[in-house]
Amino acid sequence: RRMFPTFQVKLFGMDPMADYMLLMDFVPVDDKRYRYAFHSSSWLVAGKADPATPGRVHYHPDSPAKGAQWMKQIVSFDKLKLTNNLLDDNGHIILNSMHRYQPRFHVVYVDPRKDSEKYAEENFKTFVFEETRFTAVTAYQNHRITQLKIASNPFAKGFRDCDPEDWPRNHRPGALPLMSAFARSRNPVASPTQPNGAEKDAAEARREFERDAGGPAVLGDP
């Protein structure tokens, strides 16, 4: 599934005329596996981590692009998909469910020099935002994340009690803490949230929402 909430960044300080590639990878936060305790609304260590999954990198589909293009608007990694299928051959990011991960964001300068490999170590920068850590899950453990997804999905209007603009200010999606923490997937984590104009993506978003909305209700707290 597509990762939800979506990872988004705002970039500054690039050379407007130079080419850059943007990519992401994910590293384990620790060597533990977790379980969710509903009676205490908390995550507990459940044992040692499962064997590490194959390390993969996700390139933003607009890469490479000029610095001017990257800087003119928020960059969204809304095509990034996560799975727990160790045999995945679609290039998706493979994660273990119920394990904690830290996303890493990388900016790579496309060096036009013929001997650019000599400067490889100085042509990229890695950014780590600790607030984006999350637990990979195959079903949301927190009902507020389910509600946030419904509020964010363009095909979920029938599941909303009223228009989001009529919600009390402290209950609007923007007011909820983004626990960047509970993604989803049958192949873990994720889901589409924003329409992008492509009919294929729209149909996929609708199918994924219908699957999610039809599942059992899960309650919990981050």
Side-chain angles (χ1 to χ4, degrees):
R1 300 284 183 86
R2 297 191 187 193
M3 186 169 71
F4 179 84
T6 303
F7 186 93
Q8 297 179 325
V9 291
K10 179 68 176 174
L11 296 160
F12 302 91
M14 290 177 156
D15 179 344
M17 300 307 296
D19 287 316
Y20 298 87
M21 301 183 75
L22 305 186
L23 50 145
M24 288 186 66
D25 67 355
F26 297 75
V27 293
V29 170
D30 52 35
D31 61 352
K32 299 176 176 61
R33 178 167 42 87
Y34 292 82
R35 66 181 177 84
Y36 193 76
F38 288 94
H39 67 278
S40 60
S41 298
S42 61
W43 287 92
L44 304 177
V45 174
K48 279 262 319 163
D50 296 335
T53 56
R56 288 183 173 178
V57 173
H58 172 81
Y59 287 84
H60 192 283
D62 292 343
S63 297
K66 299 294 182 186
Q69 177 179 333
W70 292 126
M71 292 188 292
K72 72 180 181 180
Q73 59 193 8
I74 291 176
V75 177
S76 178
F77 280 81
D78 54 1
K79 302 288 187 184
L80 189 157
K81 290 190 176 184
L82 309 176
T83 181
N84 61 356
N85 178 11
L86 296 175
L87 302 179
D88 175 80
D89 58 0
N90 296 306
H92 303 325
I93 299 293
I94 302 175
L95 303 180
N96 284 320
S97 182
M98 308 306 273
H99 291 59
R100 287 182 59 74
Y101 290 94
Q102 172 67 65
R104 298 191 303 182
F105 170 61
H106 311 275
V107 178
V108 180
Y109 166 64
V110 181
D111 197 329
R113 291 175 288 189
K114 290 184 178 179
D115 56 349
S116 60
E117 64 277 0
K118 294 181 181 179
Y119 310 97
E121 291 189 4
E122 61 189 59
N123 282 338
F124 78 93
K125 177 71 174 176
T126 296
F127 300 89
V128 175
F129 305 102
E130 290 191 4
E131 65 270 27
T132 62
R133 288 182 176 183
F134 65 92
T135 303
V137 297
T138 53
Y140 291 129
Q141 308 295 298
N142 184 293
H143 68 284
R144 285 182 291 172
I145 296 298
T146 304
Q147 292 168 348
L148 176 66
K149 184 175 180 181
I150 289 175
S152 302
N153 194 301
F155 304 106
K157 292 179 180 177
F159 290 83
R160 299 175 191 148
D161 294 331
C162 61
D163 189 281
E165 287 303 311
D166 297 330
W167 294 359
R169 183 166 299 277
N170 63 342
H171 285 95
R172 294 183 185 179
L176 294 176
L178 274 194
M179 356 254 150
S180 53
F182 300 99
R184 160 166 193 128
S185 172
R186 205 128 301 168
N187 306 338
V189 199
S191 280
T193 57
Q194 299 297 333
N196 57 18
E199 291 184 5
K200 180 178 179 181
D201 286 347
E204 181 180 351
R206 187 179 294 108
R207 285 196 301 272
E208 287 196 9
F209 173 75
E210 289 170 351
R211 284 199 299 269
D212 292 347
V218 288
L219 303 177
D221 213 344

